[in-house]
Amino acid sequence: MQGKATKYERENIDTDVIIPGTYLKVHDHDELGRHAMEGIDPKFHSRMEGRSMMVTGKNFGCGSSREHAPIALSKSGVRAVLAPSFARIFYRNCVDGAYLLPVEISQDAYESIADGDELKISMAEQKVENITQGATYEIAPIPDLIAGIIAAGGLFRYKV
Amino acid sequence: MNITERIIARAAGKQSVAPGDAVFADVDCAMMHDVSGPGVIKVIERLKKEGIEFNGVWDPDKVWIAEDHFVPSAEKASAENTAKLSKFTAKYGIKKHFKYGLGEYGICHTLSHEDAMVMPGELYVGGDSHTNTTGALGAFACGLGHTDMAYVMFYGRMWFRVPETIYFKLNGRLGEHVMAKDVILRIIGDIGTDGAAYKAMQFGGEAVAAMSVEDRLTLTNMTTEAGAKNGIIEADQKVGEYLGQRGAASAAQKCGTADDIISPDADSFAEVHEYDISELEPLVAKPFSPENVVLVREASSVDLNKAYLGSCTGAKMEDLEAAARILKGRKVKIRTEVLPASISIFKRALERGLVSIFLDAGAVVGPPTCGACCGAHMGVLGSEEVCVSATNRNFPGRMGHIESQTYLASPMVVAASAVTGHLTDPRDL
């Protein structure tokens, strides 16, 4: 997976910001996409133009269990989020629903990636290549079960 | 093994498990509400288009449904969602569906204990992040998203990475104006909103053994705000009695003793934090994070527009009783909204004169709903509004406008602040 990254230099971005509570009654995925990140960045969609990755600070996706959050991001063109850590339900929702790839990188890697950098993710090799800067970052090890679910394309494909 | 590990091992059909193991485990009890339920139905519809057919709920007797987030129906979309849920439960034979305006109903994390929906020792999952609450009954209680809950509906099992456990040993006794809410705010202030990420938070020690079941539920409720997978407390006979009074006669046999709370298996914890809660003073978490914790007395210059007593965190029977002790014979100076967390609590509050105390003070008393806590409806905040709230989150826009501000506090601090119109330590009233 390869693409340009949009960077948010902010920690603890919560689900109330990713998709506010008033939209919890909405289950139309395209409509959720239109409201993604509207809490903190009304220009989110224009900033994602031609880009497919987000880079953010630690504990991304904390807060509620709403699956609306990864759905809204994926419908906005986000195929991967790279962060030093993720809130656990958000992480599960991304992997099990196969909406987008949550990639745990080090704090140093997070700090060194710049807005607009071209990144290439290899889950098989457990690394992220920063093509713009000519750097390589390790991906934090994940249990075989989670790697299996990602490779299968979601929990229902892992075991049907 | 500690209690979290014992429950996961049993449900996974293994002799033992260790932190870091990833296992599939059988689910004993599952809950969905009017947000996650329609989300799950959407997943099931999508899977059908992809050729994966849903042939019914794995065990309809192990599933229960709450209507809480968007009741009373806020507008057409939420009315459609509750109608969709009713069709689903009728079609698949789910009998335990708590409906707004049809006998007992309320917030899911309140019904779980108030109506004895979950038993000690069970592996319980819910389509909501505050499912952690129910761990105070000695259950492994954990929140999941829509795809995961759909998978549970299909197969009755789920994968878990066995969490490391952080043990919080609480000594001493709560002071007269200090509540369990202050204890959990202190802990979140110390460890941060990701301080227990992916981990279990277990509470024990003499102070926990001395606490009521509802105080313990306040502790586990906000483990979610520290990023925990689950919050848990060993079940003693107080839990057995509490559930027994609510129709679960067999619960007592599933409960241990106070000793299980006071001296759990010490070798099974990744970290131990010890607190003397006798020293605690009333606290608030300032906007915009539950970890921004300061003494109420350090924030008493903050002027307020609204006081909110509601939600799974702060509208249990004892929460309302504590607030009523403060409000009795006094008048509120700002908008004050009281929403008991279930109809059964509402009824007891009426019978014991609490509703009159709130109304005489000038507050409004409304039906149980998650509405304003999650910024959905029934009292959301405007851009310049500042609220003191007995709820659990104060992220930007959580209770309404993105610029509105919420201060999280105990029911007693909310009541005292309602009287003065600014953040107030109940001792200073």
Side-chain angles (χ1 to χ4, degrees), chain B residues 105-160:
Chain B
Y105 97 97
I107 298 174
C108 57
H109 310 304
T110 305
L111 298 176
S112 58
H113 53 88
E114 186 65 26
D115 289 82
M117 299 308 294
V118 181
M119 289 296 111
E122 286 188 342
L123 191 149
Y124 166 58
V125 294
D128 191 280
S129 61
H130 286 106
T131 301
N132 292 28
T133 311
T134 310
L137 304 180
F140 174 81
C142 176
L144 297 173
H146 308 164
T147 300
D148 283 356
M149 286 307 297
Y151 191 89
V152 171
M153 293 302 122
F154 268 76
Y155 305 113
R157 53 208 299 267
M158 184 38 61
W159 70 267
F160 298 97

Tab-separated table of all heavy atoms in Angstrom, chain B residues 105-160:
chain	number	residue	atom	x	y	z
B	105	TYR	N	-37.162	0.233	31.425
B	105	TYR	CA	-36.187	0.513	30.374
B	105	TYR	C	-35.169	1.455	30.970
B	105	TYR	O	-35.336	1.956	32.090
B	105	TYR	CB	-36.864	1.112	29.136
B	105	TYR	CG	-36.792	2.622	29.076
B	105	TYR	CD1	-35.803	3.257	28.317
B	105	TYR	CD2	-37.647	3.409	29.831
B	105	TYR	CE1	-35.702	4.644	28.316
B	105	TYR	CE2	-37.547	4.781	29.822
B	105	TYR	CZ	-36.580	5.401	29.077
B	105	TYR	OH	-36.466	6.753	29.079
B	106	GLY	N	-34.094	1.720	30.258
B	106	GLY	CA	-33.096	2.645	30.777
B	106	GLY	C	-31.791	2.504	30.024
B	106	GLY	O	-31.736	1.880	28.956
B	107	ILE	N	-30.752	3.090	30.598
B	107	ILE	CA	-29.431	3.045	29.969
B	107	ILE	C	-28.873	1.627	30.110
B	107	ILE	O	-28.957	1.024	31.182
B	107	ILE	CB	-28.510	4.095	30.615
B	107	ILE	CG1	-29.090	5.508	30.373
B	107	ILE	CG2	-27.092	3.981	30.055
B	107	ILE	CD1	-28.346	6.620	31.079
B	108	CYS	N	-28.314	1.110	29.036
B	108	CYS	CA	-27.888	-0.303	29.008
B	108	CYS	C	-26.958	-0.652	30.171
B	108	CYS	O	-27.132	-1.688	30.810
B	108	CYS	CB	-27.242	-0.644	27.673
B	108	CYS	SG	-25.823	0.380	27.229
B	109	HIS	N	-25.984	0.222	30.468
B	109	HIS	CA	-25.011	-0.108	31.526
B	109	HIS	C	-25.599	0.040	32.921
B	109	HIS	O	-24.941	-0.260	33.904
B	109	HIS	CB	-23.749	0.743	31.375
B	109	HIS	CG	-23.223	0.716	29.992
B	109	HIS	ND1	-22.913	-0.463	29.357
B	109	HIS	CD2	-23.011	1.696	29.087
B	109	HIS	CE1	-22.527	-0.194	28.124
B	109	HIS	NE2	-22.575	1.106	27.930
B	110	THR	N	-26.827	0.524	32.994
B	110	THR	CA	-27.551	0.547	34.262
B	110	THR	C	-28.434	-0.698	34.357
B	110	THR	O	-28.461	-1.368	35.384
B	110	THR	CB	-28.407	1.823	34.359
B	110	THR	OG1	-27.542	2.937	34.151
B	110	THR	CG2	-29.083	1.932	35.709
B	111	LEU	N	-29.129	-1.029	33.261
B	111	LEU	CA	-29.974	-2.235	33.261
B	111	LEU	C	-29.139	-3.471	33.550
B	111	LEU	O	-29.616	-4.413	34.187
B	111	LEU	CB	-30.668	-2.389	31.898
B	111	LEU	CG	-31.627	-1.267	31.493
B	111	LEU	CD1	-32.148	-1.508	30.085
B	111	LEU	CD2	-32.786	-1.152	32.477
B	112	SER	N	-27.891	-3.481	33.106
B	112	SER	CA	-27.045	-4.667	33.273
B	112	SER	C	-26.948	-5.073	34.739
B	112	SER	O	-26.955	-6.262	35.046
B	112	SER	CB	-25.652	-4.427	32.677
B	112	SER	OG	-25.047	-3.319	33.297
B	113	HIS	N	-26.904	-4.092	35.654
B	113	HIS	CA	-26.905	-4.446	37.085
B	113	HIS	C	-28.279	-4.245	37.722
B	113	HIS	O	-28.745	-5.059	38.493
B	113	HIS	CB	-25.832	-3.664	37.857
B	113	HIS	CG	-25.870	-2.175	37.678
B	113	HIS	ND1	-26.625	-1.351	38.450
B	113	HIS	CD2	-25.235	-1.356	36.803
B	113	HIS	CE1	-26.451	-0.090	38.080
B	113	HIS	NE2	-25.609	-0.055	37.072
B	114	GLU	N	-28.953	-3.163	37.339
B	114	GLU	CA	-30.247	-2.823	37.949
B	114	GLU	C	-31.276	-3.931	37.689
B	114	GLU	O	-32.152	-4.172	38.508
B	114	GLU	CB	-30.713	-1.477	37.376
B	114	GLU	CG	-31.964	-0.889	37.972
B	114	GLU	CD	-31.860	-0.494	39.429
B	114	GLU	OE1	-30.746	-0.205	39.892
B	114	GLU	OE2	-32.899	-0.509	40.112
B	115	ASP	N	-31.190	-4.595	36.571
B	115	ASP	CA	-32.124	-5.676	36.246
B	115	ASP	C	-31.425	-7.031	36.184
B	115	ASP	O	-31.949	-7.970	35.593
B	115	ASP	CB	-32.850	-5.351	34.936
B	115	ASP	CG	-33.828	-4.206	35.139
B	115	ASP	OD1	-33.380	-3.048	35.107
B	115	ASP	OD2	-35.002	-4.461	35.393
B	116	ALA	N	-30.237	-7.096	36.794
B	116	ALA	CA	-29.497	-8.364	36.913
B	116	ALA	C	-29.376	-9.093	35.577
B	116	ALA	O	-29.665	-10.285	35.481
B	116	ALA	CB	-30.165	-9.251	37.976
B	117	MET	N	-28.942	-8.370	34.538
B	117	MET	CA	-28.822	-8.976	33.214
B	117	MET	C	-27.512	-9.757	33.048
B	117	MET	O	-27.365	-10.548	32.131
B	117	MET	CB	-28.895	-7.893	32.130
B	117	MET	CG	-30.198	-7.115	32.109
B	117	MET	SD	-31.648	-8.185	32.049
B	117	MET	CE	-31.431	-8.930	30.444
B	118	VAL	N	-26.537	-9.479	33.907
B	118	VAL	CA	-25.220	-10.113	33.792
B	118	VAL	C	-24.844	-10.705	35.155
B	118	VAL	O	-25.094	-10.087	36.192
B	118	VAL	CB	-24.154	-9.080	33.350
B	118	VAL	CG1	-22.778	-9.739	33.212
B	118	VAL	CG2	-24.563	-8.423	32.026
B	119	MET	N	-24.267	-11.907	35.146
B	119	MET	CA	-23.928	-12.607	36.384
B	119	MET	C	-22.410	-12.635	36.597
B	119	MET	O	-21.641	-12.606	35.627
B	119	MET	CB	-24.436	-14.056	36.315
B	119	MET	CG	-25.945	-14.202	36.401
B	119	MET	SD	-26.608	-13.658	37.998
B	119	MET	CE	-27.478	-12.199	37.487
B	120	PRO	N	-22.000	-12.721	37.871
B	120	PRO	CA	-20.565	-12.844	38.172
B	120	PRO	C	-19.952	-14.030	37.417
B	120	PRO	O	-20.599	-15.071	37.271
B	120	PRO	CB	-20.549	-13.104	39.684
B	120	PRO	CG	-21.817	-12.487	40.183
B	120	PRO	CD	-22.822	-12.691	39.090
B	121	GLY	N	-18.741	-13.844	36.923
B	121	GLY	CA	-18.027	-14.921	36.237
B	121	GLY	C	-18.309	-15.027	34.759
B	121	GLY	O	-17.652	-15.779	34.037
B	122	GLU	N	-19.284	-14.244	34.283
B	122	GLU	CA	-19.624	-14.343	32.861
B	122	GLU	C	-18.669	-13.561	31.978
B	122	GLU	O	-18.055	-12.581	32.407
B	122	GLU	CB	-21.061	-13.824	32.624
B	122	GLU	CG	-22.117	-14.792	33.118
B	122	GLU	CD	-23.541	-14.408	32.720
B	122	GLU	OE1	-23.791	-13.244	32.347
B	122	GLU	OE2	-24.412	-15.286	32.802
B	123	LEU	N	-18.590	-13.989	30.708
B	123	LEU	CA	-17.911	-13.204	29.684
B	123	LEU	C	-19.011	-12.467	28.934
B	123	LEU	O	-19.837	-13.079	28.262
B	123	LEU	CB	-17.084	-14.096	28.751
B	123	LEU	CG	-16.141	-13.328	27.818
B	123	LEU	CD1	-14.896	-14.157	27.524
B	123	LEU	CD2	-16.825	-12.951	26.518
B	124	TYR	N	-19.031	-11.148	29.136
B	124	TYR	CA	-20.126	-10.300	28.658
B	124	TYR	C	-19.577	-9.270	27.684
B	124	TYR	O	-18.595	-8.591	27.982
B	124	TYR	CB	-20.767	-9.615	29.870
B	124	TYR	CG	-21.687	-8.447	29.576
B	124	TYR	CD1	-22.803	-8.587	28.755
B	124	TYR	CD2	-21.448	-7.192	30.135
B	124	TYR	CE1	-23.640	-7.515	28.506
B	124	TYR	CE2	-22.286	-6.114	29.897
B	124	TYR	CZ	-23.381	-6.280	29.072
B	124	TYR	OH	-24.214	-5.212	28.823
B	125	VAL	N	-20.177	-9.181	26.513
B	125	VAL	CA	-19.764	-8.160	25.542
B	125	VAL	C	-20.962	-7.283	25.183
B	125	VAL	O	-22.107	-7.737	25.165
B	125	VAL	CB	-19.170	-8.784	24.249
B	125	VAL	CG1	-17.873	-9.513	24.544
B	125	VAL	CG2	-20.166	-9.696	23.552
B	126	GLY	N	-20.670	-6.014	24.899
B	126	GLY	CA	-21.738	-5.097	24.538
B	126	GLY	C	-21.281	-4.176	23.425
B	126	GLY	O	-20.099	-3.853	23.319
B	127	GLY	N	-22.242	-3.764	22.614
B	127	GLY	CA	-21.926	-2.838	21.532
B	127	GLY	C	-21.882	-1.422	22.038
B	127	GLY	O	-22.633	-0.549	21.573
B	128	ASP	N	-21.003	-1.169	23.009
B	128	ASP	CA	-20.857	0.172	23.570
B	128	ASP	C	-19.595	0.189	24.425
B	128	ASP	O	-19.323	-0.769	25.147
B	128	ASP	CB	-22.070	0.541	24.441
B	128	ASP	CG	-22.044	2.017	24.807
B	128	ASP	OD1	-21.306	2.394	25.742
B	128	ASP	OD2	-22.743	2.802	24.137
B	129	SER	N	-18.863	1.294	24.368
B	129	SER	CA	-17.560	1.335	25.048
B	129	SER	C	-17.669	1.268	26.574
B	129	SER	O	-16.759	0.788	27.232
B	129	SER	CB	-16.795	2.593	24.648
B	129	SER	OG	-17.518	3.740	25.024
B	130	HIS	N	-18.774	1.738	27.142
B	130	HIS	CA	-18.883	1.699	28.603
B	130	HIS	C	-19.395	0.369	29.150
B	130	HIS	O	-19.766	0.268	30.332
B	130	HIS	CB	-19.714	2.883	29.126
B	130	HIS	CG	-18.947	4.172	29.057
B	130	HIS	ND1	-19.214	5.130	28.121
B	130	HIS	CD2	-17.882	4.609	29.766
B	130	HIS	CE1	-18.340	6.129	28.266
B	130	HIS	NE2	-17.529	5.833	29.256
B	131	THR	N	-19.384	-0.656	28.305
B	131	THR	CA	-19.706	-2.011	28.762
B	131	THR	C	-18.807	-2.394	29.941
B	131	THR	O	-19.191	-3.200	30.792
B	131	THR	CB	-19.549	-2.996	27.586
B	131	THR	OG1	-20.429	-2.571	26.539
B	131	THR	CG2	-19.901	-4.417	27.975
B	132	ASN	N	-17.611	-1.805	30.004
B	132	ASN	CA	-16.685	-2.014	31.127
B	132	ASN	C	-17.358	-1.902	32.500
B	132	ASN	O	-16.934	-2.548	33.451
B	132	ASN	CB	-15.560	-0.963	31.089
B	132	ASN	CG	-14.622	-1.125	29.915
B	132	ASN	OD1	-15.018	-1.632	28.869
B	132	ASN	ND2	-13.379	-0.698	30.063
B	133	THR	N	-18.388	-1.051	32.587
B	133	THR	CA	-19.093	-0.808	33.845
B	133	THR	C	-19.409	-2.103	34.600
B	133	THR	O	-19.200	-2.214	35.807
B	133	THR	CB	-20.453	-0.100	33.557
B	133	THR	OG1	-20.223	0.998	32.693
B	133	THR	CG2	-21.130	0.350	34.835
B	134	THR	N	-19.933	-3.063	33.857
B	134	THR	CA	-20.520	-4.256	34.458
B	134	THR	C	-19.474	-5.183	35.087
B	134	THR	O	-19.816	-6.123	35.795
B	134	THR	CB	-21.386	-4.958	33.392
B	134	THR	OG1	-22.243	-3.971	32.826
B	134	THR	CG2	-22.246	-6.055	33.953
B	135	GLY	N	-18.200	-4.905	34.844
B	135	GLY	CA	-17.129	-5.670	35.477
B	135	GLY	C	-17.148	-5.586	36.998
B	135	GLY	O	-16.576	-6.442	37.676
B	136	ALA	N	-17.833	-4.575	37.539
B	136	ALA	CA	-17.936	-4.463	39.011
B	136	ALA	C	-18.747	-5.602	39.605
B	136	ALA	O	-18.734	-5.813	40.813
B	136	ALA	CB	-18.564	-3.124	39.394
B	137	LEU	N	-19.464	-6.359	38.757
B	137	LEU	CA	-20.215	-7.524	39.250
B	137	LEU	C	-19.359	-8.788	39.217
B	137	LEU	O	-19.861	-9.894	39.405
B	137	LEU	CB	-21.476	-7.741	38.393
B	137	LEU	CG	-22.457	-6.573	38.276
B	137	LEU	CD1	-23.645	-6.960	37.389
B	137	LEU	CD2	-22.945	-6.122	39.645
B	138	GLY	N	-18.066	-8.643	38.922
B	138	GLY	CA	-17.201	-9.819	38.843
B	138	GLY	C	-17.296	-10.534	37.517
B	138	GLY	O	-17.020	-11.729	37.412
B	139	ALA	N	-17.684	-9.795	36.474
B	139	ALA	CA	-17.751	-10.352	35.119
B	139	ALA	C	-16.619	-9.757	34.276
B	139	ALA	O	-16.117	-8.676	34.593
B	139	ALA	CB	-19.099	-10.018	34.486
B	140	PHE	N	-16.229	-10.465	33.200
B	140	PHE	CA	-15.351	-9.847	32.202
B	140	PHE	C	-16.290	-9.120	31.254
B	140	PHE	O	-17.056	-9.749	30.523
B	140	PHE	CB	-14.529	-10.896	31.449
B	140	PHE	CG	-13.721	-10.302	30.309
B	140	PHE	CD1	-12.514	-9.667	30.554
B	140	PHE	CD2	-14.188	-10.373	29.003
B	140	PHE	CE1	-11.780	-9.102	29.514
B	140	PHE	CE2	-13.450	-9.818	27.951
B	140	PHE	CZ	-12.250	-9.182	28.208
B	141	ALA	N	-16.267	-7.799	31.294
B	141	ALA	CA	-17.222	-7.000	30.525
B	141	ALA	C	-16.445	-6.059	29.619
B	141	ALA	O	-15.622	-5.284	30.083
B	141	ALA	CB	-18.113	-6.205	31.471
B	142	CYS	N	-16.729	-6.125	28.326
B	142	CYS	CA	-15.861	-5.486	27.346
B	142	CYS	C	-16.697	-4.964	26.170
B	142	CYS	O	-17.609	-5.644	25.695
B	142	CYS	CB	-14.880	-6.573	26.899
B	142	CYS	SG	-13.772	-6.109	25.618
B	143	GLY	N	-16.380	-3.757	25.711
B	143	GLY	CA	-17.108	-3.159	24.598
B	143	GLY	C	-16.546	-3.560	23.249
B	143	GLY	O	-15.336	-3.766	23.107
B	144	LEU	N	-17.426	-3.688	22.261
B	144	LEU	CA	-17.030	-4.080	20.907
B	144	LEU	C	-17.754	-3.202	19.881
B	144	LEU	O	-18.784	-2.600	20.182
B	144	LEU	CB	-17.406	-5.548	20.640
B	144	LEU	CG	-16.735	-6.626	21.499
B	144	LEU	CD1	-17.371	-7.988	21.194
B	144	LEU	CD2	-15.230	-6.680	21.267
B	145	GLY	N	-17.246	-3.182	18.651
B	145	GLY	CA	-17.879	-2.450	17.557
B	145	GLY	C	-18.926	-3.298	16.838
B	145	GLY	O	-19.285	-4.397	17.287
B	146	HIS	N	-19.401	-2.793	15.705
B	146	HIS	CA	-20.541	-3.426	15.028
B	146	HIS	C	-20.172	-4.728	14.329
B	146	HIS	O	-20.919	-5.703	14.383
B	146	HIS	CB	-21.160	-2.455	14.021
B	146	HIS	CG	-21.479	-1.115	14.618
B	146	HIS	ND1	-21.744	0.004	13.871
B	146	HIS	CD2	-21.570	-0.726	15.921
B	146	HIS	CE1	-21.966	1.036	14.679
B	146	HIS	NE2	-21.861	0.615	15.906
B	147	THR	N	-19.027	-4.754	13.653
B	147	THR	CA	-18.614	-5.991	12.972
B	147	THR	C	-18.427	-7.108	13.999
B	147	THR	O	-18.869	-8.245	13.789
B	147	THR	CB	-17.302	-5.769	12.194
B	147	THR	OG1	-17.524	-4.744	11.219
B	147	THR	CG2	-16.852	-7.042	11.498
B	148	ASP	N	-17.767	-6.762	15.120
B	148	ASP	CA	-17.528	-7.762	16.163
B	148	ASP	C	-18.840	-8.249	16.774
B	148	ASP	O	-19.019	-9.447	17.023
B	148	ASP	CB	-16.630	-7.185	17.267
B	148	ASP	CG	-15.163	-7.133	16.837
B	148	ASP	OD1	-14.852	-7.599	15.731
B	148	ASP	OD2	-14.339	-6.616	17.620
B	149	MET	N	-19.770	-7.326	17.040
B	149	MET	CA	-21.055	-7.751	17.606
B	149	MET	C	-21.833	-8.597	16.601
B	149	MET	O	-22.533	-9.540	16.981
B	149	MET	CB	-21.889	-6.541	18.046
B	149	MET	CG	-21.406	-5.864	19.322
B	149	MET	SD	-21.192	-6.950	20.759
B	149	MET	CE	-22.854	-7.516	21.030
B	150	ALA	N	-21.697	-8.273	15.300
B	150	ALA	CA	-22.353	-9.101	14.278
B	150	ALA	C	-21.774	-10.512	14.312
B	150	ALA	O	-22.498	-11.514	14.228
B	150	ALA	CB	-22.170	-8.475	12.890
B	151	TYR	N	-20.456	-10.590	14.477
B	151	TYR	CA	-19.783	-11.896	14.545
B	151	TYR	C	-20.287	-12.692	15.758
B	151	TYR	O	-20.530	-13.897	15.667
B	151	TYR	CB	-18.264	-11.677	14.631
B	151	TYR	CG	-17.445	-12.927	14.443
B	151	TYR	CD1	-17.031	-13.331	13.167
B	151	TYR	CD2	-17.077	-13.711	15.526
B	151	TYR	CE1	-16.272	-14.480	12.998
B	151	TYR	CE2	-16.321	-14.857	15.365
B	151	TYR	CZ	-15.921	-15.232	14.098
B	151	TYR	OH	-15.174	-16.374	13.931
B	152	VAL	N	-20.482	-11.999	16.876
B	152	VAL	CA	-21.036	-12.647	18.077
B	152	VAL	C	-22.450	-13.153	17.784
B	152	VAL	O	-22.818	-14.264	18.174
B	152	VAL	CB	-21.023	-11.679	19.288
B	152	VAL	CG1	-21.784	-12.268	20.474
B	152	VAL	CG2	-19.592	-11.347	19.699
B	153	MET	N	-23.254	-12.344	17.078
B	153	MET	CA	-24.630	-12.774	16.743
B	153	MET	C	-24.592	-14.051	15.874
B	153	MET	O	-25.415	-14.945	16.032
B	153	MET	CB	-25.387	-11.675	15.998
B	153	MET	CG	-25.694	-10.438	16.811
B	153	MET	SD	-26.660	-10.770	18.295
B	153	MET	CE	-25.566	-10.137	19.547
B	154	PHE	N	-23.634	-14.131	14.971
B	154	PHE	CA	-23.500	-15.322	14.112
B	154	PHE	C	-23.040	-16.550	14.907
B	154	PHE	O	-23.649	-17.610	14.837
B	154	PHE	CB	-22.426	-15.073	13.030
B	154	PHE	CG	-22.918	-14.524	11.729
B	154	PHE	CD1	-23.269	-13.184	11.610
B	154	PHE	CD2	-22.990	-15.318	10.592
B	154	PHE	CE1	-23.678	-12.652	10.401
B	154	PHE	CE2	-23.407	-14.807	9.375
B	154	PHE	CZ	-23.755	-13.465	9.279
B	155	TYR	N	-21.915	-16.381	15.613
B	155	TYR	CA	-21.178	-17.550	16.113
B	155	TYR	C	-21.110	-17.684	17.634
B	155	TYR	O	-20.641	-18.710	18.140
B	155	TYR	CB	-19.742	-17.536	15.570
B	155	TYR	CG	-19.684	-17.463	14.052
B	155	TYR	CD1	-19.178	-16.336	13.413
B	155	TYR	CD2	-20.139	-18.528	13.264
B	155	TYR	CE1	-19.125	-16.260	12.021
B	155	TYR	CE2	-20.087	-18.457	11.878
B	155	TYR	CZ	-19.586	-17.326	11.256
B	155	TYR	OH	-19.537	-17.258	9.893
B	156	GLY	N	-21.495	-16.616	18.382
B	156	GLY	CA	-21.446	-16.697	19.841
B	156	GLY	C	-20.046	-16.735	20.411
B	156	GLY	O	-19.848	-17.161	21.559
B	157	ARG	N	-19.079	-16.305	19.629
B	157	ARG	CA	-17.706	-16.260	20.161
B	157	ARG	C	-16.963	-15.058	19.613
B	157	ARG	O	-17.418	-14.408	18.685
B	157	ARG	CB	-16.973	-17.560	19.844
B	157	ARG	CG	-16.980	-17.983	18.381
B	157	ARG	CD	-16.871	-19.500	18.246
B	157	ARG	NE	-15.645	-20.019	18.806
B	157	ARG	CZ	-14.535	-20.207	18.087
B	157	ARG	NH1	-14.502	-19.903	16.809
B	157	ARG	NH2	-13.455	-20.676	18.653
B	158	MET	N	-15.840	-14.747	20.200
B	158	MET	CA	-15.071	-13.572	19.802
B	158	MET	C	-13.605	-13.761	20.166
B	158	MET	O	-13.302	-14.513	21.085
B	158	MET	CB	-15.646	-12.344	20.527
B	158	MET	CG	-15.056	-11.007	20.175
B	158	MET	SD	-14.619	-10.727	18.446
B	158	MET	CE	-16.191	-10.895	17.626
B	159	TRP	N	-12.733	-13.093	19.407
B	159	TRP	CA	-11.304	-13.169	19.761
B	159	TRP	C	-10.939	-12.092	20.768
B	159	TRP	O	-11.488	-10.990	20.736
B	159	TRP	CB	-10.410	-13.096	18.514
B	159	TRP	CG	-10.360	-11.758	17.799
B	159	TRP	CD1	-11.146	-11.357	16.759
B	159	TRP	CD2	-9.456	-10.667	18.048
B	159	TRP	NE1	-10.799	-10.088	16.357
B	159	TRP	CE2	-9.763	-9.642	17.123
B	159	TRP	CE3	-8.409	-10.461	18.957
B	159	TRP	CZ2	-9.074	-8.426	17.088
B	159	TRP	CZ3	-7.723	-9.250	18.916
B	159	TRP	CH2	-8.056	-8.257	17.992
B	160	PHE	N	-10.040	-12.442	21.647
B	160	PHE	CA	-9.506	-11.489	22.621
B	160	PHE	C	-8.011	-11.698	22.774
B	160	PHE	O	-7.540	-12.827	22.775
B	160	PHE	CB	-10.140	-11.688	24.011
B	160	PHE	CG	-11.623	-11.448	24.021
B	160	PHE	CD1	-12.504	-12.521	23.925
B	160	PHE	CD2	-12.132	-10.160	24.109
B	160	PHE	CE1	-13.873	-12.311	23.913
B	160	PHE	CE2	-13.500	-9.943	24.098
B	160	PHE	CZ	-14.365	-11.015	24.002
